[in-house]
Amino acid sequence: MYARKYTKKPPRVKGVSVFRPFVYGSIAKPIDPDKRPPNISPDHTHTWTVYVRGVDGDDITYWLKKVQFKLHETYSQAVRTIEAPDTFEVTETGWGEFEVMIKLYFVPEANEKSQTLWHPLKLHPYGPDAEKQKENKEAIVSQSYEEIIFNEPVEQFYEILTSGPVQPSRGKGGSKGSKQASFKKQSERSAEIPYAETADNPYSQKTEAKELDRINEARKQVEKLIKEEREKLTKREADLEELRKTEGLALKAAK
């Protein structure tokens, strides 16, 4: 008879959530015929890079150990795994667009499961400026802002998160109560969206404010249309009621 072994779970910081932002996406550019790389397929039209990066180039390797990119099955070695300290990116050439599966693996101290993202690789411009972008052979950037939320992280990982590139203030004292107060203080958001966009990161508080203004303007337009439709409906109902009254009087007169 064998005794069952129990593994003690590492203690977690209760009531605390830590946010860590990053961006993921791709950048693609048409291949210049005069600078065409050797030994690539003749039907390949673009060079592209798919990546996971810190906002404004911030270091994310203190909490992210490796990233796995799953490319289209037509690529040899379709699954590419990049481990820190190497840059989390894969560069290839191709002609078609497809979805890239991106799997994030955290440092061992995190004691967290991997997370999966999907990114649609874009090679061609879309929208009103598409023709101009094609003519100028501009790079096509497709990027998303994301945040990983670590809910009640284990204490060891919490220390790693809060002592990384972003240095939060720490509480004083050695008692259990003061330690918990320190945890709460450190759990405050320490990585916000930057105020203004940069060449590497189009996301900022300014662009967020513009988007909110656009949404508010659209909401006003919708409310205006709803009001107009309600007025039309009220008028139609009044006309219908008047018609009913008129028809009722006509029937009585006929009798």
Side-chain angles (χ1 to χ4, degrees), residues 248-255:
L249 290 174
L251 289 171
K252 286 181 181 180
K255 289 178 180 180

Side-chain angles (χ1 to χ4, degrees), residues 16-68:
V16 168
S17 294
V18 179
F19 300 78
R20 284 297 173 263
F22 65 97
V23 292
Y24 67 97
S26 60
I27 181 168
K29 197 166 186 179
I31 296 174
D32 187 338
D34 297 329
K35 299 179 181 179
R36 189 176 182 85
N39 304 321
I40 68 169
S41 178
D43 58 351
H44 285 192
T45 58
H46 290 73
T47 298
W48 53 260
T49 299
V50 61
Y51 56 82
V52 174
R53 298 172 181 168
V55 176
D56 281 339
D58 287 345
D59 180 22
I60 58 176
T61 58
Y62 66 99
W63 57 266
L64 186 62
K65 179 177 176 61
K66 63 182 179 180
V67 177
Q68 186 181 85

Side-chain angles (χ1 to χ4, degrees), residues 158-204:
Y158 180 82
E159 290 298 326
I160 291 173
L161 287 172
T162 56
S163 61
V166 179
Q167 293 290 342
S169 57
R170 294 181 175 272
K172 296 181 179 180
S175 66
K176 185 176 180 181
S178 62
K179 183 179 180 181
Q180 190 64 26
S182 175
F183 283 156
K184 289 179 181 178
K185 188 173 184 180
Q186 292 179 51
S187 68
E188 293 175 359
R189 192 179 183 119
S190 58
E192 296 181 348
I193 301 175
Y195 177 70
E197 63 269 21
T198 64
D200 295 329
N201 178 40
Y203 302 99
S204 68

Side-chain angles (χ1 to χ4, degrees):
M1 192 171 186
Y2 296 96
R4 184 178 293 177
K5 292 183 179 180
Y6 292 92
T7 304
K8 186 180 179 181
K9 293 183 179 180
R12 292 183 173 270
V13 185
K14 299 297 183 181
V16 168
S17 294
V18 179
F19 300 78
R20 284 297 173 263
F22 65 97
V23 292
Y24 67 97
S26 60
I27 181 168
K29 197 166 186 179
I31 296 174
D32 187 338
D34 297 329
K35 299 179 181 179
R36 189 176 182 85
N39 304 321
I40 68 169
S41 178
D43 58 351
H44 285 192
T45 58
H46 290 73
T47 298
W48 53 260
T49 299
V50 61
Y51 56 82
V52 174
R53 298 172 181 168
V55 176
D56 281 339
D58 287 345
D59 180 22
I60 58 176
T61 58
Y62 66 99
W63 57 266
L64 186 62
K65 179 177 176 61
K66 63 182 179 180
V67 177
Q68 186 181 85
F69 300 92
K70 187 175 181 182
L71 312 180
H72 194 272
E73 59 186 10
T74 53
Y75 284 90
S76 61
Q77 193 184 349
V79 178
R80 315 281 178 91
T81 302
I82 312 299
E83 191 164 343
D86 291 339
T87 306
F88 299 132
E89 64 180 40
V90 169
T91 299
E92 269 288 357
T93 61
W95 59 268
E97 300 179 334
F98 57 91
E99 273 200 315
V100 181
M101 188 183 80
I102 302 173
K103 206 165 187 177
L104 308 178
Y105 293 87
F106 307 111
V107 295
E109 296 85 352
N111 199 29
E112 298 278 356
K113 294 180 179 179
S114 60
Q115 292 195 20
T116 302
L117 304 168
W118 291 90
H119 172 70
L121 176 68
K122 291 186 179 180
L123 304 183
H124 308 286
Y126 299 93
D129 297 328
E131 291 303 320
K132 183 179 178 182
Q133 286 180 294
K134 282 183 181 178
E135 186 179 343
N136 296 336
K137 296 183 178 180
E138 296 178 15
I140 306 302
V141 179
S142 174
Q143 183 171 272
S144 299
Y145 173 90
E146 188 59 85
E147 289 180 348
I148 292 288
I149 303 174
F150 299 104
N151 290 315
E152 298 188 346
V154 298
E155 288 186 1
Q156 187 180 6
F157 186 46
Y158 180 82
E159 290 298 326
I160 291 173
L161 287 172
T162 56
S163 61
V166 179
Q167 293 290 342
S169 57
R170 294 181 175 272
K172 296 181 179 180
S175 66
K176 185 176 180 181
S178 62
K179 183 179 180 181
Q180 190 64 26
S182 175
F183 283 156
K184 289 179 181 178
K185 188 173 184 180
Q186 292 179 51
S187 68
E188 293 175 359
R189 192 179 183 119
S190 58
E192 296 181 348
I193 301 175
Y195 177 70
E197 63 269 21
T198 64
D200 295 329
N201 178 40
Y203 302 99
S204 68
Q205 294 178 33
K206 282 186 175 180
T207 53
E208 184 181 50
K210 288 178 182 177
E211 184 65 14
L212 288 173
D213 288 342
R214 189 185 67 81
I215 292 171
N216 286 332
E217 186 61 33
R219 180 177 56 80
K220 289 178 182 177
Q221 290 296 325
V222 171
E223 289 176 351
K224 182 182 177 183
L225 290 172
I226 291 174
K227 183 181 178 181
E228 290 175 354
E229 289 301 317
R230 281 177 178 169
E231 290 174 352
K232 289 179 182 178
L233 181 60
T234 301
K235 186 176 184 305
R236 287 172 185 168
E237 288 177 345
D239 291 344
L240 182 59
E241 184 63 26
E242 184 65 27
L243 183 61
R244 285 173 180 166
K245 290 178 181 180
T246 304
E247 288 182 349
L249 290 174
L251 289 171
K252 286 181 181 180
K255 289 178 180 180

